[in-house]
Amino acid sequence: PERPKVSTVDEQPSPITNDMAFDAIAEPSLGDFDKSKLPSADPVTDAILAKFKGSGATPEKIEQIAQEFASVETGGRNIQQSGGGPGQGLYQFEGAEGSNEFKTALNRMKRLYDPSGTGKRKVGKASQGRAPKWIDEAMKHGDASKLTPDQQKKLLLANLFMKDDSDALFEKGFRTGDFSELYTDIHYAGAKGDSLARAQKIEQYKDRRKDVR
């Protein structure tokens, strides 16, 4: 008969994942560990998904927004605006020498995490009161290009999400896959009241976004 296999000291145990650890501490008499009580790894994306799930929002489409906007603004480069302009970083947030939209965006993102604020938009409860520390640090240095690409992406999305007039364009974009109007009217916002300039900017967006497709 075949002898049973005997473990040796050289054998390594399988790594324990987070899900395995959570399952291991589940106790029938206490109830399973509630993972929803943990802070999200990406509260901004989760808040957008929760708001627009009925419009077809997906993580992939949210990533599409970030990738296309960076491609249109800077070709995906973390740079200062050419010609000495005030735009900074992947998405060309203007610093104090311009509109200071960078600081405004940081304040909007901070309000998204504020559980005591009066705004309608909030991150999930488990993440409220846990605004990233880099927000306050960015308030001091005032330069979007000093943030990591992921931090810049989260700031872009939070800033778009916190603007009341963005809802309809988010919904349209998620339904059609075309975020040119969200970019032109909410992020760029330099063609308001000029229908010809707006139409040209939308076409420009559609041409440049091909770089990431």
Side-chain angles (χ1 to χ4, degrees):
E2 183 179 351
R3 294 182 180 180
K5 182 180 178 182
V6 179
S7 298
T8 69
V9 294
D10 292 327
E11 291 179 334
Q12 297 296 320
S14 299
I16 298 176
T17 65
N18 286 340
D19 285 341
M20 290 169 64
F22 292 142
D23 291 341
I25 62 174
E27 168 57 47
S29 63
L30 299 176
D32 289 342
F33 186 88
D34 188 353
K35 299 178 190 179
S36 69
K37 299 290 175 67
L38 293 172
S40 167
D42 192 350
V44 175
T45 292
D46 287 349
I48 294 173
L49 288 171
K51 172 74 175 177
F52 298 108
K53 60 183 178 182
S55 302
T58 64
E60 292 75 21
K61 289 180 180 178
I62 293 174
E63 182 64 24
Q64 177 187 338
I65 294 171
Q67 293 292 327
E68 288 187 357
F69 282 27
S71 178
V72 170
E73 285 286 357
T74 62
R77 295 170 295 162
N78 188 32
I79 58 174
Q80 300 290 321
Q81 185 174 342
S82 60
Q88 302 164 332
L90 293 166
Y91 306 105
Q92 294 293 281
F93 280 107
E94 292 189 5
E97 295 181 359
S99 66
N100 213 6
E101 177 68 6
F102 180 55
K103 185 175 182 180
T104 301
L106 290 167
N107 279 318
R108 287 192 179 112
M109 187 173 184
K110 201 166 185 178
R111 289 202 304 274
L112 189 60
Y113 282 85
D114 184 1
S116 62
T118 58
K120 296 179 181 179
R121 291 169 173 78
K122 301 288 180 190
V123 294
K125 287 186 177 181
S127 298
Q128 291 177 16
R130 297 172 177 265
K133 293 181 180 179
W134 59 260
I135 294 179
D136 288 332
E137 295 168 358
M139 288 279 196
K140 296 176 183 177
H141 63 63
D143 186 348
S145 68
K146 292 183 179 180
L147 300 179
T148 68
D150 187 63
Q151 290 168 350
Q152 291 185 54
K153 179 179 77 171
K154 287 180 169 61
L155 180 63
L156 169 78
L157 295 171
N159 190 50
L160 294 171
F161 183 54
M162 288 294 280
K163 294 184 177 182
D164 291 333
D165 52 351
S166 67
D167 284 8
L169 297 180
F170 261 120
E171 290 171 354
K172 184 175 182 178
F174 285 133
R175 288 195 177 103
T176 65
D178 181 356
F179 295 100
S180 59
E181 290 183 62
L182 179 68
Y183 169 82
T184 302
D185 294 347
I186 305 301
H187 183 67
Y188 171 68
K192 290 183 178 179
D194 188 334
S195 58
L196 178 58
R198 180 178 183 272
Q200 290 174 337
K201 200 68 181 177
I202 288 174
E203 288 307 309
Q204 184 183 66
Y205 178 95
K206 291 179 178 180
D207 286 339
R208 291 185 177 178
R209 72 178 179 179
K210 295 174 184 177
D211 295 341
V212 296
R213 292 195 162 195

